[in-house]
């Protein structure tokens, strides 16, 4: 059944849900490594003081590879379709996660992470699919909050089973103590569990996800055909009604694989569509506003991901009690050291509680905030929270009372989570609405993934190196956090130059209007007869007239 609304279009909930399932495995697998990554790096023989550096580098190499391959994947999705590229990315990541869990050396782990990043360009393509499914600005806050919501949900389960299943032979000797495989590969089990989720996501996307690239939507999709056959026995049969045919389309809907993504009036002619299959030029992609938005997005990715990579190392770093602090290792407010001294299981619990809280905020508060204050204001407010959180985080280790220490830390952690929840979807909406045309979205999001990937690479690597520098004979554990605070403050500046655009739909209508101009001129001769026809129809029951003698488009008889 086609989703309709008298007051306007509705979200394509079924397709967005399928997209969410296809997305779910990636955040789940990505966050599952956080609790055990410091211990995994240690198991490779890396000294304690260098764990942060190599953990940051391991995270960075993934982003470097992803940034190198993002634009080619984006261009491939513009040519071959969004769906096949997403399925390739899921398959590649699933295979690499199995190998990652079997890593026995730092070199092997880094190599696998590089291949994993190079083989997955799904982040930008998923954003492109959401933009193509939901071109209406009033629906974008809800639609674009979906992927961060999925990330929040994945971040609930990921760290939970990452901390729960890592080193099973040691944690659960009665169950796994006699299994040599888990003694030899102590970090394999959480990755094997993640691969089961990857397979479910892959099959869901293959069987039920519809292509959104307009030039590829008429092509036969054998995955959808198979999915239709498999689900046919469970569907209720509905009589086929031959009523008024709705020629207007406000949004991508769930059961119309061949229906256009936009209103008929905004679709380009056949000749224009052929021309628009050519790759977009750099001049089309890099406008002043897209450059500013890409800069903001890169800074956001740099400091927020670096925080996520360094934080587990800080939580795992040995705690220094007040009695062990001396004038040699502590001179407040700047010189001191020590973390929380937690293992992978407790770090996983912290991330799980954090993920649940963020999911609630994402689901309940984010759409309301955007509707009440606007996307741009929300984004600017989020950028101001990051420097404050980063500045205060290391000082939580100085709090003597254990419960107070955890309470203050978790409050700061949750504030950072709220800023991320608001920041990432808002910057995605702003970037999408700065695009000049729908045809460049795939490539634009590919560049966004490239630049953000550079940020995700530089941030963890530099922050990890600074962490190692600060704790190696210097006792300045504040060093990486203050570095991130400065970066976040600089990254907040471009947000004040952003102008919220009208979105690619408006520009597409403008582009297509020129191609339709000749037809409109030819039709002017018959304008009088059409006006008479409209006047005759307006005399029928149920019709509606506007103030200029034309039938309103939302009147039943005018359709």
């Amino acid at each position: 059944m086609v989703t309709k609304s008298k007051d306007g279009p509705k979200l394509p909930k079924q397709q967005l849900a399928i997209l969410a399932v296809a997305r779910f495995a990636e955040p789940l697998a990505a966050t599952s490594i956080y609790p055990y990554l410091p211990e995994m790096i240690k198991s490779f023989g890396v000294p304690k003081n260098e764990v942060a550096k190599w953990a940051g580098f391991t995270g960075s190499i993934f982003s470097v590879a992803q940034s190198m391959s993002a634009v080619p994947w984006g261009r491939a999705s513009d040519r071959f379709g969004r769906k096949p590229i997403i399925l390739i990315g899921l398959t590649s990541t699933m295979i690499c996660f199995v190998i990652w869990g079997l890593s026995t050396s730092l070199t092997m782990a880094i190599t696998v992470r590089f291949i994993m990043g190079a083989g997955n360009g799904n982040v930008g393509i998923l954003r492109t699919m959401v933009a193509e499914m939901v071109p209406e600005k009033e629906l974008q806050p809800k639609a674009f909050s979906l992927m961060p919501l999925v990330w929040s949900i994945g971040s609930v389960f990921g760290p939970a089973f990452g901390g729960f299943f890592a080193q099973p032979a040691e944690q659960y000797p009665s169950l796994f103590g006699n299994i040599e495989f888990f003694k030899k590969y102590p970090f394999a089990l959480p990755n094997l569990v993640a691969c089961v989720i990857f397979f479910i996501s892959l099959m869901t996307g293959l069987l039920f996800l519809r292509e959104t690239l307009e030039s590829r939507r008429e092509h036969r999709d054998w995955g959808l055909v198979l999915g239709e056959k498999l689900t046919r026995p469970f569907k209720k049969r509905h009589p086929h009604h031959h009523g008024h045919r709705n020629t207007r389309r406000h949004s991508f809907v769930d059961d119309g694989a061949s229906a256009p993504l936009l209103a008929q009036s905004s679709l380009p002619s056949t000749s224009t569509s052929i021309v628009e299959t050519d790759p977009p030029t750099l001049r089309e992609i890099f406008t002043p506003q897209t450059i500013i938005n890409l800069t903001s997005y890169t800074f956001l990715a740099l400091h927020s991901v670096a925080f996520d990579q360094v934080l587990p190392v800080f939580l795992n770093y040995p705690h220094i009690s007040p009695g062990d602090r001396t004038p040699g290792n502590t001179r407040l407010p700047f010189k001191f050291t020590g973390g929380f001294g937690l293992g992978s299981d407790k770090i996983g619990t912290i991330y799980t509680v954090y993920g649940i809280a963020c999911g609630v905020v994402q689901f309940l508060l984010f759409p309301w905030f955007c509707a009440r204050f606007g996307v741009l204001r929300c984004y600017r407010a989020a950028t101001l929270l990051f420097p404050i959180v980063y500045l205060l985080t290391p000082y939580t280790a100085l709090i003597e009372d254990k419960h107070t220490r955890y309470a203050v830390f978790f409050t700061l952690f949750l504030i950072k989570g709220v800023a991320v929840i608001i920041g990432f979807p808002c910057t995605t909406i702003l970037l999408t609405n700065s695009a000049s045309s729908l045809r460049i979205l795939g490539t634009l999001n590919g560049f966004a993934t490239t630049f953000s990937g550079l940020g995700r690479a530089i941030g963890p690597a530099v922050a990890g190196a600074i962490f190692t520098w600060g704790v190696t004979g210097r006792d300045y554990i504040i060093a990486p956090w203050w570095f991130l605070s400065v970066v976040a403050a600089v990254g907040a500046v471009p947000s004040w130059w952003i102008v919220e655009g009208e979105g690619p739909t408006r520009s597409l209508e403008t582009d297509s209007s020129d191609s339709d101009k000749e037809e409109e001129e030819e039709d002017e001769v018959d304008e009088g007869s059409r006006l008479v026809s409209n006047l005759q129809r307006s005399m029928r029951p149920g019709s509606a007239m506007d103030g200029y003698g034309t039938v309103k488009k939302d009147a039943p008889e005018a359709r």
Side-chain angles (χ1 to χ4, degrees):
M1 182 176 179
V2 178
T3 306
K4 297 179 181 179
S5 174
K6 294 181 180 180
D7 299 326
K10 285 188 176 181
L11 289 173
K13 295 180 180 179
Q14 291 180 7
Q15 280 298 299
L16 287 173
I18 294 169
L19 202 65
V21 173
R23 170 65 169 155
F24 178 71
E26 294 183 59
L28 182 142
T31 58
S32 69
I33 74 171
Y34 289 161
Y36 66 77
L37 183 59
E39 295 181 356
M40 186 179 190
I41 298 296
K42 288 179 185 177
S43 71
F44 298 145
V46 176
K48 178 187 68 176
N49 289 342
E50 295 186 8
V51 168
K53 178 179 69 176
W54 288 110
F57 185 79
T58 304
S60 297
I61 200 67
F62 174 89
S63 299
V64 169
Q66 194 174 52
S67 67
M68 292 169 58
S69 63
V71 174
W73 282 125
R75 289 190 179 275
S77 75
D78 286 337
R79 181 175 181 181
F80 301 108
R82 319 298 186 199
K83 179 176 176 177
I85 305 303
I86 285 178
L87 297 181
I88 291 173
L90 285 172
T91 304
S92 171
T93 308
M94 178 176 66
I95 295 172
C96 286
F97 256 102
V98 174
I99 303 174
W100 160 264
L102 303 179
S103 297
T104 55
S105 67
L106 186 61
T107 302
M108 180 179 177
I110 291 173
T111 302
V112 173
R113 289 288 288 178
F114 181 87
I115 298 172
M116 191 186 305
N120 191 328
N122 284 3
V123 176
I125 299 171
L126 286 165
R127 285 198 300 265
T128 302
M129 292 192 76
V130 174
E132 290 173 330
M133 287 180 182
V134 187
E136 301 82 14
K137 290 184 68 175
E138 66 271 21
L139 297 180
Q140 286 179 341
K142 287 185 177 180
F144 279 101
S145 68
L146 176 66
M147 294 302 116
L149 176 60
V150 173
W151 182 275
S152 296
I153 296 173
S155 67
V156 173
F157 294 97
F161 78 72
F164 185 79
F165 291 117
Q167 299 174 308
E170 295 182 13
Q171 291 199 70
Y172 315 106
S174 60
L175 292 176
F176 303 100
N178 296 323
I179 302 177
E180 291 298 323
F181 177 82
F182 291 120
K183 290 181 180 180
K184 186 177 181 179
Y185 305 107
F187 304 102
L189 186 57
N191 293 280
L192 293 174
V193 175
C195 286
V196 175
I197 310 299
F198 265 105
F199 183 77
I200 295 172
S201 297
L202 179 64
M203 289 297 101
T204 302
L206 175 66
L207 299 176
F208 305 112
L209 183 62
R210 299 187 186 280
E211 180 60 64
T212 61
L213 183 64
E214 196 274 334
S215 62
R216 302 290 299 181
R217 294 187 65 209
E218 300 297 333
H219 291 239
R220 190 170 183 83
D221 188 330
W222 292 105
L224 288 180
V225 173
L226 178 59
E228 174 66 25
K229 290 183 178 180
L230 292 175
T231 57
R232 188 176 298 163
F234 306 99
K235 291 183 177 180
K236 295 181 180 179
R237 296 184 178 273
H238 297 282
H240 185 70
H241 297 287
H242 298 279
H244 296 292
R245 186 174 66 179
N246 184 10
T247 59
R248 291 179 58 80
R249 184 170 185 81
H250 297 283
S251 178
F252 186 95
V253 296
D254 301 318
D255 58 347
S258 62
L261 288 169
L262 304 174
Q264 293 287 347
S265 61
S266 66
L267 285 173
S269 62
T270 304
S271 60
T272 306
S273 297
I274 295 175
V275 173
E276 288 193 345
T277 58
D278 295 334
T281 63
L282 294 178
R283 188 174 182 179
E284 291 178 281
I285 297 168
F286 293 108
T287 64
Q289 277 301 305
T290 58
I291 291 173
I292 295 173
N293 277 281
L294 286 171
T295 302
S296 296
Y297 184 44
T298 301
F299 270 96
L300 177 60
L302 190 155
H303 61 73
S304 65
V305 174
F307 178 94
D308 291 338
Q309 292 282 342
V310 172
L311 185 63
V313 182
F314 173 67
L315 295 175
N316 180 254
Y317 200 78
H319 178 67
I320 305 297
S321 63
D324 294 330
R325 296 191 181 277
T326 65
N329 63 22
T330 303
R331 286 200 302 271
L332 299 177
F334 303 118
K335 184 176 181 178
F336 63 93
T337 189
F340 278 59
L342 303 180
S344 60
D345 54 340
K346 292 184 179 179
I347 295 175
T349 301
I350 289 175
Y351 270 93
T352 299
V353 176
Y354 166 79
I356 293 173
C358 288
V360 172
V361 173
Q362 180 83 58
F363 185 73
L364 298 178
L365 297 183
F366 172 74
W368 181 85
F369 274 126
C370 285
R372 177 68 177 83
F373 301 105
V375 173
L376 184 55
R377 288 182 179 178
C378 287
Y379 178 64
R380 288 172 175 169
T383 61
L384 299 178
L385 293 175
F386 289 111
I388 300 172
V389 172
Y390 300 159
L391 197 69
L392 298 177
T393 294
Y395 291 95
T396 58
L398 295 173
I399 300 174
E400 295 185 18
D401 182 72
K402 183 177 180 180
H403 297 290
T404 305
R405 182 166 66 247
Y406 280 103
V408 174
F409 163 76
F410 195 78
T411 299
L412 290 174
F413 196 20
L414 185 58
I415 292 173
K416 187 263 182 183
V418 171
V420 167
I421 286 168
I422 294 174
F424 273 106
C426 283
T427 192
T428 301
I429 294 171
L430 293 169
L431 177 63
T432 299
N433 288 337
S434 70
S436 59
S437 172
L438 279 172
R439 64 186 286 265
I440 74 167
L441 271 183
T443 305
L444 177 61
N445 280 319
F447 276 110
T449 304
T450 295
F451 293 129
S452 69
L454 291 175
R456 294 168 192 266
I458 295 171
V462 175
I466 293 175
F467 189 103
T468 298
W469 174 87
V471 299
T472 305
R474 296 177 180 84
D475 299 322
Y476 283 102
I477 204 166
I478 67 168
W481 307 108
W482 282 40
F483 161 74
L484 293 178
S485 181
V486 172
V487 171
V490 174
V493 174
S495 68
W496 301 93
W497 295 338
I498 295 175
V499 177
E500 192 169 359
E502 294 295 330
T505 303
R506 177 70 59 85
S507 63
L508 184 57
E509 292 174 357
T510 303
D511 295 340
S512 62
S513 63
D514 293 335
S515 64
D516 295 336
K517 195 171 292 184
E518 292 183 5
E519 293 183 15
E520 292 177 359
E521 291 176 354
E522 293 175 0
D523 291 342
E524 284 180 358
V525 178
D526 298 326
E527 184 64 32
S529 61
R530 283 202 298 270
L531 179 58
V532 171
S533 176
N534 285 340
L535 288 171
Q536 288 174 345
R537 283 200 296 259
S538 69
M539 301 302 293
R540 302 174 187 171
S543 64
M545 292 283 291
D546 63 17
Y548 300 95
T550 58
V551 181
K552 290 183 178 178
K553 291 184 179 181
D554 57 355
E557 293 295 329
R559 294 193 178 114

